[in-house]
């Protein structure tokens, strides 16, 4: 089983989350591919059984610029049968808290993926309990592939 974790992170919070998500995937016995979304193309997703996307929220509840090409490349993909989840750091002082997580989750569902965990939104830098939630998310997706 192959699982990929793709993330965008400007100040490192979402990247820290990605590291913990990866650890949770490993706990379930799968070695994930972990990449910055800028080094990935939407078409690659077809190669994987598990897809976990991480993005901070930008602008007024928008996807980060780094995610835009990838998001467009996802159009038309057929992701049925794949297990997926989404996470991201955000800031509750903004009206659209963690909206990028919702945008990516909707996209995955629209393309037929089975999103097996609630979108995980973390306030700024992940706390110890947030990190545990990240590991649990990774583990949940990996275990759904068994
Ligand atoms: C210009 C700007 C716009 C932002 N807009 C939002 C927003 O609409 N909603 C939100 O939840 N967070 C927003 N944020 C907060 C970031 O998502 C937050 O700082 C996050 O921790 C960054 O994650 P990173 O360290 O992975 O880059 C914004 C931050 C900046 C600088």
């Amino acid at each position: 089983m192959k699982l990929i974790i793709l993330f965008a992170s400007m100040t490192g919070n979402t990247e820290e989350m990605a590291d913990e998500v990866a650890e949770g995937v490993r706990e379930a016995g799968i070695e994930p591919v972990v990449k910055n979304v800028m080094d990935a193309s939407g078409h690659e997703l077809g190669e994987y059984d598990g897809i976990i996307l991480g993005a901070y929220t930008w602008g007024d509840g928008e996807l980060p610029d780094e995610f835009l090409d990838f998001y467009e490349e996802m159009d038309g993909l057929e992701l049925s049968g794949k297990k997926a989840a989404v996470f991201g750091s955000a800031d509750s002082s903004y009206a659209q808290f963690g909206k990028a997580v919702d945008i990516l989750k909707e996209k995955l569902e629209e393309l037929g993926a089975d999103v097996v965990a609630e979108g995980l939104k973390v306030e700024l830098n992940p706390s110890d309990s947030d990190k545990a939630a990240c590991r649990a998310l990774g583990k949940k997706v990996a275990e759904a592939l068994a």
Side-chain angles (χ1 to χ4, degrees), residues 12-14 16-21 88-90 120-136:
N13 296 331
T14 306
E16 266 189 61
M17 292 179 75
D19 289 344
E20 298 295 332
V21 171
S89 173
L120 178 61
K121 301 177 184 179
V122 157
E123 179 76 8
L124 299 170
N125 194 251
S127 65
D128 284 350
S129 66
D130 293 329
K131 288 180 180 175
C134 291
R135 292 194 295 276

Side-chain angles (χ1 to χ4, degrees), residues 4 45-46 48-53 74 76-86 103-117 141 144-145:
I4 190 165
L45 292 184
Y48 294 90
D49 310 293
I51 300 166
I52 308 182
L53 303 180
M74 286 173 80
L77 292 181
E78 169 54 72
L79 301 183
S80 331
K82 299 187 188 292
K83 305 296 181 188
V86 185
I103 293 170
L104 291 175
K105 179 172 182 275
E106 277 163 29
K107 186 63 154 188
L108 287 165
E109 283 172 345
E110 180 191 313
L111 299 173
D114 181 12
V115 179
V116 298
V141 177
L145 295 175

Side-chain angles (χ1 to χ4, degrees), residues 8-15 56-61 89-91 94 96-98 124:
S9 184
M10 188 174 52
T11 59
N13 296 331
T14 306
E15 184 165 11
Y56 65 96
T57 300
W58 181 247
D60 182 17
S89 173
D91 181 344
Y94 288 87
Q96 306 282 342
F97 179 66
L124 299 170

